[in-house]
Amino acid sequence: MNTPAPTRAPAASDSSPSKLKQAITGPLLYLFILGDVLGAGIYALMGTLSAEVGGALWAPLLLALLLALLTAGSYAELVTKYPKAGGAAIFAERAFRQPVISFLVGFSMLAAGVTSAAGLSLAFAGDYLGTFVDLPAVPTAIAFLALVACLNARGISESLKGNVIMTVIEVSGLVVVIAVVAMMLGGGGGDVGRIGEFPVDANPAIATLGAAIIAYYSFVGFETSANIAEEVRDPSRVYPRALFASLITAGVVYVLVGLASSIALPASELSDSTGPLLAVVSASGAGIPEWVFSLIALVAVANGALLTMIMASRVTFGMAEQGLLPRALGAVLPRRKTPWAAILVTTAVAMGLTLIGDIGTLAETVVLLLLFVFISTNVAVLVLRRDRVEHEHFRVWTAVPVLGAASCVLLLTQQSGQVWLFGGILLAAGAVLFFVARLRSKAPAAR
């Protein structure tokens, strides 16, 4: 799958110098993607999955990894071919030559990213923080987003160095789960036989597919890396390695955590727990204090919010550079070389969304919007095969984007009617914003 493709005849924009600082190395990119994928969701995921597949938690996690790798292959080709900020929106603009499609793809990414950041900020300010101090949720969430914006504006290098520390902490929490259950098993505890047990009334294949749709959500996050491609050193060589290595690492960790959870506790106890990994550690008898996992969860949530806001600001910057949003949003700090205007606007929107308080339906709609983005990216790979660039880039097997698009369609069929309706309303609102912006841009020319 990793086949370099030397091609010719670049577009003019490919050779233009970047306004952003190329400060992201391979290890920083690997940890960026890994930190985004290994988010707070895994700390609550096992309980939901166990209700679907019983003790066979590893099966849907492995299937979800394979589905995610399909779309990741398409991202690897397009990012190395067109290493510019903006990600999927830029790919759509090049492939379909319809500004409204590019705008809606970018708008979907923005809606997903900003809403996710708002939800993460509320999660940060909720029960996790409540373990240590009791503060009002919404004001705390807004203050938290302001701190995230400051780190984002300070510089991509500083942000990703912070991500390194937070990723190590959140991964260490998962390693602790695996280690204490291994010790439990070595001492004669646990039950290995549970890892192959499905619910009595469930069809294993259907149950695994249904649970894989849930598990797939835990791998969403790798697409955010496409929006910082312009700040990566030597992206044609570095990006594919970091992308696939981080996804496979996350998949291995998820599968091991799933096996550990099944061995430590029966499915009925896992599915009834709101903190399943904490229950697993407690069942192991390792004697680790509960506040330790609350702290790790806080770090995971904070890391997810930081990476999501980096993505949202870079999408906004890239769309402004392409003229899909006002050019003013492409302004960067002279010394820091970070998109301050895009950071300010996306942070303000995220702060506004925290006032809603309950954004459960919005969170489900985020997934729907991201699946549309993934379909667009998979199709764009095939359309842009005839476009030539003069630098070497990653080229994926043709079957991969085809299967990637098909997997996204399969996942779309599992969404509820309410989520489809809400997603349609958001996309319609985006279309209205686009056409209003187009009319305003044409008015001065007409005068």
Side-chain angles (χ1 to χ4, degrees), residues 180-266:
V180 296
V181 174
M183 294 170 58
M184 176 187 185
L185 192 60
D191 185 356
V192 178
R194 284 196 288 257
I195 65 175
E197 294 179 354
F198 286 87
V200 177
D201 57 347
N203 178 297
I206 295 176
T208 299
L209 177 59
I213 296 166
I214 300 171
Y216 186 84
Y217 303 159
S218 65
F219 288 97
V220 168
F222 68 87
E223 77 285 347
T224 64
S225 60
N227 302 291
I228 60 170
E230 198 168 339
E231 297 164 88
V232 175
R233 298 174 186 171
D234 192 10
S236 294
R237 182 181 62 86
V238 166
Y239 185 83
R241 296 179 183 179
L243 176 63
F244 294 124
S246 58
L247 275 176
I248 292 171
T249 301
V252 170
V253 172
Y254 284 166
V255 169
L256 290 176
V257 170
L259 291 171
S261 300
S262 298
I263 291 170
L265 288 172

Side-chain angles (χ1 to χ4, degrees), residues 5-331:
T7 48
R8 301 294 176 199
S13 60
D14 293 334
S15 57
S16 58
S18 174
K19 293 165 61 179
L20 302 178
K21 183 179 180 181
Q22 282 70 51
I24 303 177
T25 62
L28 283 177
L29 181 62
Y30 167 79
L31 289 171
F32 175 93
I33 302 172
L34 183 63
D36 215 1
V37 174
L38 285 177
I42 189 63
Y43 290 92
L45 182 65
M46 295 306 161
T48 305
L49 288 178
S50 63
E52 298 285 333
V53 293
L57 294 169
W58 58 271
L61 289 165
L62 185 58
L63 178 57
L65 170 63
L66 296 176
L67 295 177
L69 284 172
L70 292 174
T71 297
S74 295
Y75 270 91
E77 176 167 335
L78 291 178
V79 167
T80 57
K81 194 174 184 179
Y82 311 110
K84 291 290 183 180
I90 302 303
F91 306 150
E93 190 276 332
R94 286 181 175 272
F96 309 120
R97 302 296 179 183
Q98 294 293 328
V100 65
I101 295 178
S102 180
F103 178 85
L104 289 176
V105 169
F107 180 81
S108 296
M109 288 291 296
L110 282 174
V114 174
T115 303
S116 295
L120 288 171
S121 69
L122 288 170
F124 182 92
D127 292 338
Y128 292 134
L129 188 62
T131 303
F132 304 96
V133 60
D134 187 16
L135 295 172
V138 173
T140 304
I142 292 175
F144 169 72
L145 285 171
L147 291 174
V148 168
C150 291
L151 184 56
N152 191 358
R154 180 169 176 78
I156 190 70
S157 179
E158 288 81 357
S159 298
L160 295 192
K161 287 174 183 176
N163 167 64
V164 169
I165 298 172
M166 290 187 283
T167 298
V168 169
I169 292 173
E170 62 185 87
V171 171
S172 68
L174 301 178
V175 172
V176 166
V177 173
I178 298 167
V180 296
V181 174
M183 294 170 58
M184 176 187 185
L185 192 60
D191 185 356
V192 178
R194 284 196 288 257
I195 65 175
E197 294 179 354
F198 286 87
V200 177
D201 57 347
N203 178 297
I206 295 176
T208 299
L209 177 59
I213 296 166
I214 300 171
Y216 186 84
Y217 303 159
S218 65
F219 288 97
V220 168
F222 68 87
E223 77 285 347
T224 64
S225 60
N227 302 291
I228 60 170
E230 198 168 339
E231 297 164 88
V232 175
R233 298 174 186 171
D234 192 10
S236 294
R237 182 181 62 86
V238 166
Y239 185 83
R241 296 179 183 179
L243 176 63
F244 294 124
S246 58
L247 275 176
I248 292 171
T249 301
V252 170
V253 172
Y254 284 166
V255 169
L256 290 176
V257 170
L259 291 171
S261 300
S262 298
I263 291 170
L265 288 172
S268 58
E269 293 187 35
L270 282 173
S271 59
D272 289 339
S273 175
T274 57
L277 295 190
L278 184 58
V280 168
V281 173
S282 298
S284 72
I288 298 176
E290 292 189 0
W291 65 265
V292 172
F293 265 80
S294 294
L295 181 60
I296 291 173
L298 278 174
V299 172
V301 170
N303 197 32
L306 172 63
L307 300 183
T308 300
M309 289 307 294
I310 289 174
M311 177 276 292
S313 61
R314 268 55 177 186
V315 170
T316 303
F317 170 83
M319 292 176 70
E321 288 287 281
Q322 293 293 315
L324 298 172
L325 286 174
R327 294 284 184 182
L329 293 176

Side-chain angles (χ1 to χ4, degrees), residues 383-400:
V383 174
L384 290 170
R385 281 286 168 84
R386 62 176 180 266
D387 189 26
R388 303 288 182 175
V389 295
E390 67 179 2
H391 62 274
E392 290 190 352
H393 65 84
F394 182 91
R395 183 182 174 96
V396 75
W397 296 322
T398 301
V400 171

